[in-house]
Amino acid sequence: MTFRTRLLLPFFGLLAGLNLNSPPSLKAQESKVGSSYTKVLFLGNSITKHGPKADIDWTGNWGMAATSEANDYVHQVMSGLTARQRTAPAMLVKNIADFERAHVGYDLDGKLAEAFAFKADLIILAIGENVPALKTDEAKAAFKAETMKLLQKLQGEHKPTILVRSCFWANTIKDQILQECCEAVGGIFVNISTLGKEEANYGRAERPYKHSGVANHPGDKGMKAIAEAILAALPKS
């Protein structure tokens, strides 16, 4: 070994012990900022958004039984994302309860053209509650097939992050199908089935409602719990 080599070896040994990519403080900061989304698409039912309907004494235009727009799960998720990434994503919210009730042969291209054109990089699918009881193998297969078509169409070529949540009113069969479809497209499945078992999560637990259907929706506490479950499941780095 030459004298020159003996001098260089300690130097390279010192370099090997250093992190030349970025200082530890920067790495920690990056992990806190987490994934950033520019466009968020919410597809759901009345828990996601429901316009005013006088005959059921509902005057809001947001997630049913939340006391204000800011208190529904959609807007709480958006607030959480904005705080996390320090910039507010664009948002599109659509009620697709008609897909739930009549999913077989549903005109995806015609009825969801705006949703597909939006090109969201985060899609949150919150359906199942209005799907008729799946009592036969044929009904189960049909719901699964149509949900797969929807998710694959949403996935497209730009491969957004897809998150699917289970039903608030837990249903083992529907929730299993939703999870299977979600996993098939590489999405994130969030099981919120325990939330509906707690009376405190219902709107009726927070204030009186003239219509039992409205009262049976998640109130502010339930909406917050849904939002927290979704935010916790999204990748942070």
Side-chain angles (χ1 to χ4, degrees), residues 122-170:
L122 172 59
I123 298 171
I124 297 174
L125 182 67
I127 61 172
E129 287 85 357
N130 294 312
V131 174
L134 303 174
K135 298 180 179 180
T136 66
D137 289 341
E138 290 77 13
K140 295 172 189 175
F143 178 53
K144 184 172 184 177
E146 298 304 323
T147 301
M148 278 301 306
K149 287 180 186 177
L150 172 61
L151 289 174
Q152 289 170 343
K153 182 77 175 178
L154 289 168
Q155 191 175 42
E157 296 181 355
H158 68 293
K159 307 298 182 184
T161 297
I162 294 178
L163 183 147
V164 178
R165 64 107 173 109
S166 69
C167 298
F168 177 71
W169 307 310

Side-chain angles (χ1 to χ4, degrees), residues 182-215:
C182 178
E183 291 175 349
V185 297
I188 302 167
F189 184 75
V190 179
N191 191 336
I192 64 165
S193 60
T194 60
L195 298 182
K197 298 176 182 178
E198 297 183 28
E199 179 62 22
N201 287 328
Y202 287 85
R204 60 178 179 254
E206 297 177 349
R207 59 176 178 167
Y209 288 93
K210 295 179 180 179
H211 194 277
S212 61
V214 179

